[in-house]
């Protein structure tokens, strides 16, 4: 059983990649989802699909204006969401993409700084903006995204992205005990090879990766959605500071 109904989720990185199925699954479970996005056409299309499906959860979006911080980092946006839905219960940060394939030798320091700022610093600012509101929730959850390569090492993933995702993983493990007193759980999903919406077939080298996946297939966005829904639910309240691999058993 997953208790999602009547709760409200703040979701950055929802409108593309592998986030769309998760938004649909959360709304199907009765959760209200507030997408933080700059891709307004994709957000509006997703909202229309959810409304047409008859899902009990509501779906809306916020986009930061010029001169404003990103919506997920803006306390004023959280105040509006609290007024609209009555609570802020779950924060999901699913930002970032596959990054550029660059070697260790050729990686500009500025590129690593950019990925760290986008993925790790962005996640920190989101958490900081959300904390005062999560402290009022009866079952508050923070869910961040990393990758199995950021945890296990390897050379298939973009080097700067893997390093930045490793910082996100460390943030989860060190943030969790600092907010546990408020009942807030902080967990991380270490993604394996998850198919992404609109990804080109050559984005993933199956010959290299399939032998490392005991399940013998790539993951689907629905595989990811299933785990996120559980971590977002009231029933996951005794799981915190964990990195949960959604990878088909990926190993090196």
């Amino acid at each position: 059983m997953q208790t999602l109904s009547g709760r409200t989720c703040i979701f950055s990185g929802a409108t593309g990649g592998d986030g769309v199925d998760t938004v649909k699954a959360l709304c199907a479970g009765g959760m209200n989802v507030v997408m933080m996005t700059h891709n307004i056409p994709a957000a509006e299309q997703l909202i229309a699909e959810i409304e047409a499906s008859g899902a009990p959860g509501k779906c809306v979006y916020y986009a930061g204006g010029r001169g404003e911080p990103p919506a997920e980092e803006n306390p004023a946006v959280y105040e509006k969401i609290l007024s609209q839905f009555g609570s802020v219960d779950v924060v999901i940060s699913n930002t970032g993409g596959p990054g550029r394939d660059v070697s260790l030798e050729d990686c500009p320091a500025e590129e690593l700084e950019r990925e760290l700022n986008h993925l790790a610093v962005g996640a920190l600012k989101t958490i900081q903006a959300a904390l005062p509101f999560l402290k009022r929730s009866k079952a508050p959850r923070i869910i961040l995204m990393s990758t199995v390569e950021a945890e296990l090492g390897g050379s298939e993933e973009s080097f700067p992205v893997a390093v930045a995702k490793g910082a996100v993983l460390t943030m989860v493990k060190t943030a969790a005990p600092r907010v546990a007193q408020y009942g807030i759980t902080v967990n991380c999903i270490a993604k394996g090879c998850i198919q992404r919406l609109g990804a080109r077939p050559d984005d993933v080298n199956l010959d290299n990766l399939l032998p490392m996946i005991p399940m013998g297939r790539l993951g689907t966005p629905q595989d990811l959605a299933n785990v996120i829904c559980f971590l977002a639910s009231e029933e996951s309240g005794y799981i915190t500071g964990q990195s949960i691999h959604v990878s088909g058993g990926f190993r090196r």
Side-chain angles (χ1 to χ4, degrees):
M1 179 180 178
Q2 294 179 346
T3 303
L4 302 171
S5 182
R7 289 156 55 71
T8 302
C9 170
I10 311 300
F11 197 148
S12 55
T15 54
D18 47 35
V20 170
D21 281 44
T22 298
V23 175
K24 291 179 178 178
L26 291 169
C27 289
M31 180 168 276
N32 303 312
V33 178
V34 182
M35 300 181 292
M36 305 297 194
T37 182
H38 297 293
N39 192 343
I40 294 174
E44 291 177 340
Q45 178 181 340
L46 183 51
I47 289 170
E49 292 176 7
I50 290 170
E51 290 177 348
S53 74
K58 295 184 181 299
C59 185
V60 300
Y61 73 86
Y62 279 86
R66 290 186 178 181
E68 297 178 349
E72 63 270 23
E73 300 173 12
N74 189 345
V77 171
Y78 288 83
E79 289 285 3
K80 293 178 182 178
I81 294 167
L82 181 65
S83 176
Q84 182 175 1
F85 293 109
S87 66
V88 173
D89 304 290
V90 180
V91 171
I92 300 172
S93 181
N94 187 39
T95 56
R100 188 168 72 96
D101 185 14
V102 58
S103 69
L104 171 62
E105 294 85 354
D106 298 328
C107 179
E110 295 79 10
E111 188 164 343
L112 176 57
E113 290 173 352
R114 186 165 56 249
E115 293 293 351
L116 284 166
N117 186 63
H118 178 51
L119 297 172
V121 177
L124 172 63
K125 290 181 177 179
T126 298
I127 291 171
Q128 289 173 332
L131 273 177
F133 302 90
L134 290 173
K135 289 177 181 179
R136 308 182 208 179
S137 171
K138 67 176 182 179
R141 310 279 181 258
I142 296 172
I143 304 169
L144 305 183
M145 302 292 165
S146 184
T147 62
V148 290
E149 186 155 307
E151 185 166 349
L152 302 177
S155 57
E156 299 296 331
E157 191 172 15
S158 161
F159 173 75
V161 170
V163 173
K165 288 290 188 179
V168 171
L169 173 64
T170 301
M171 185 182 304
V172 165
K173 293 183 178 297
T174 53
R178 288 169 164 82
V179 297
Q181 61 182 309
Y182 307 111
I184 301 172
T185 68
V186 188
N187 291 294
C188 179
I189 292 178
K191 299 181 189 178
C193 301
I194 305 292
Q195 297 168 348
R196 293 175 59 85
L197 182 66
R200 301 188 308 275
D202 61 353
D203 279 348
V204 176
N205 189 328
L206 294 180
D207 291 335
N208 287 343
L209 297 176
L210 280 179
M212 305 178 193
I213 305 173
M215 292 294 294
R217 66 171 177 86
L218 298 183
T220 69
Q222 189 61 51
D223 291 324
L224 183 65
N226 293 338
V227 179
I228 292 177
C229 284
F230 170 67
L231 289 178
S233 72
E234 293 187 12
E235 286 75 17
S236 66
Y238 203 57
I239 300 172
T240 195
Q242 302 303 307
S243 171
I244 299 177
H245 288 213
V246 181
S247 65
F250 182 91
R251 59 190 181 187
R252 292 201 168 274

